[in-house]
Amino acid sequence: LRVATRKCCEQEGWMPGSRSRSLSLALLLSLLLALAALHAAVRALRSRSSTATATTAFTVREERAAPAAGPLGGRFPAPPASLTLTFGTVGLKDFVSNWLWHAARVRPRLSYGVIALDDELRRLCDVWGEPAISARRLLAGGPASVDAAFAALGGGYVRDERGKFKQLGYLKALATARLLELGFDVLLSDADAVWLGDPWPWIGSRAGGQPSADAGDLPLADVLASNDMPDLRRDGQPDSVYNSGVAFFRASPGGRGGRARRFALEWANRTLATGVIGNDQTEFNRLLRNRYIDGDYSCNRPECLARDPGMYVPYSAEWVCDGG
């Protein structure tokens, strides 16, 4: 601006002498100061406008959430309902963000959200405008082991820390049991997995809808497990492992969560009592394979477990091989 103005002044003959030059420079300085003041005023106006807009948006969001539809608040349906959930601490925020981004784009729209295992992740979900369930609030009034588990987690990445990872699995299973008790079906997946389509036609959703023609008996199951084996013929084989990273639990219509809730509660307690190298997936597999005597928590090592019955899941599965 200064160079362009000076050239303009010289062309117009406004600067013939030192006095005129001084006057022109003074006028130029005044002009620059005026422009700076105008720029500051515009920025202030925009800032106030943005603040007002953000405040208005926040107010609207709060007003929408105010009439709580159920025990989880206005961002979730009232029970009985089917929820698609992930979980984590703030240390997993990038994974959780990716999971949410994909879940929000599934059609028909999922009733999805995050079980936040610390307040930092819950607040971050609020900033993102995404639904979250505070695990602390959900499990309030529980045994002392719950508070100890939250204290052990902290807010970091705990996958490589066996003791803390076991506590995370305990809280995950216990939160699942509590949601089942409230009357929610729970489709739970790790944050490093994403949903690219609607899984509920195969599972059976309380929102209704036509079940998939090839769903079989899946909509009748209390608990559904996945594994890492893409070949159906290897289900139930000694080297197959059920993956707790994607699991489903159905609340019974009679209330209190039914069989799935009892399974989730034992899963939580077995995880808390698991051996040094065990975690929630270890206990998930042992329970599904019926390796324990009911009520006996004295055994948490492979050598004292009941014999693996080697049952196939699904036991009635059929498959077709090329060439017969």
Side-chain angles (χ1 to χ4, degrees):
L1 177 62
R2 182 164 57 249
V3 173
T5 305
R6 181 176 178 85
K7 183 176 181 181
C8 176
C9 292
E10 289 174 345
Q11 288 176 347
E12 296 296 330
W14 290 359
M15 302 174 65
S18 60
R19 183 175 179 181
S20 297
R21 186 178 294 111
S22 298
L23 181 60
S24 298
L25 288 174
L27 289 172
L28 177 59
L29 181 60
S30 299
L31 176 61
L32 290 174
L33 290 174
L35 288 173
L38 178 62
H39 179 65
V42 170
R43 288 187 61 184
L45 181 61
R46 286 178 176 173
S47 177
R48 286 194 295 270
S49 176
S50 299
T51 303
T53 302
T55 304
T56 302
F58 180 80
T59 303
V60 170
R61 187 160 61 245
E62 288 297 313
E63 287 174 356
R64 288 175 181 170
L72 302 181
R75 303 296 299 274
F76 294 93
S82 302
L83 303 180
T84 307
L85 302 173
T86 191
F87 61 94
T89 63
V90 72
L92 295 170
K93 63 180 183 297
D94 292 332
F95 288 105
V96 171
S97 175
N98 185 55
W99 188 96
L100 289 166
W101 190 92
H102 285 85
R105 284 154 179 78
V106 173
R107 295 294 181 270
R109 185 173 178 84
L110 301 174
S111 294
Y112 71 90
V114 180
I115 301 175
L117 297 176
D118 55 28
D119 292 335
E120 291 79 6
L121 181 60
R122 181 190 57 79
R123 286 193 291 266
L124 193 55
C125 287
D126 288 342
V127 172
W128 292 338
E130 296 287 6
I133 301 167
S134 169
R136 284 185 180 274
R137 192 174 303 166
L138 183 67
L139 300 177
S145 55
V146 173
D147 291 333
F150 280 122
L153 277 186
Y157 182 71
V158 300
R159 181 62 181 89
D160 298 328
E161 301 182 55
R162 289 175 180 170
K164 293 183 179 181
F165 189 63
K166 180 173 71 174
Q167 301 290 348
L168 184 148
Y170 168 67
L171 292 173
K172 174 180 73 173
L174 206 59
T176 300
R178 175 60 178 151
L179 290 168
L180 290 164
E181 183 180 6
L182 292 173
F184 294 101
D185 296 340
V186 179
L187 176 58
L188 190 65
S189 64
D190 288 351
D192 60 358
V194 296
W195 294 105
L196 302 178
D198 181 12
W200 289 100
W202 286 270
I203 298 172
S205 171
R206 293 184 186 271
Q210 187 68 24
S212 174
D214 57 352
D217 292 334
L218 294 183
L220 303 177
D222 296 299
V223 176
L224 291 172
S226 63
N227 65 25
D228 296 329
M229 303 293 182
D231 188 344
L232 187 62
R233 291 168 295 181
R234 296 184 65 186
D235 274 342
Q237 294 298 312
D239 62 341
S240 69
V241 175
Y242 301 125
N243 193 331
S244 60
V246 180
F248 169 74
F249 306 85
R250 194 184 314 277
S252 297
R256 299 288 293 174
R259 292 183 293 268
R261 174 179 173 270
R262 292 196 296 274
F263 177 91
L265 280 175
E266 183 164 1
W267 181 29
N269 291 326
R270 295 285 183 187
T271 298
L272 198 62
T274 194
V276 176
I277 62 173
N279 54 47
D280 65 283
Q281 184 162 294
T282 306
E283 300 306 320
F284 189 73
N285 276 266
R286 289 174 177 176
L287 287 171
L288 285 176
R289 294 177 182 275
N290 199 26
R291 305 294 303 278
Y292 286 119
I293 299 174
D294 289 346
D296 181 7
Y297 284 84
S298 61
C299 172
N300 64 359
R301 302 179 311 281
E303 58 267 23
C304 61
L305 295 174
R307 182 177 177 273
D308 190 337
M311 294 178 64
Y312 284 69
V313 181
Y315 67 91
S316 60
E318 297 179 359
W319 59 88
V320 176
C321 299
D322 292 337

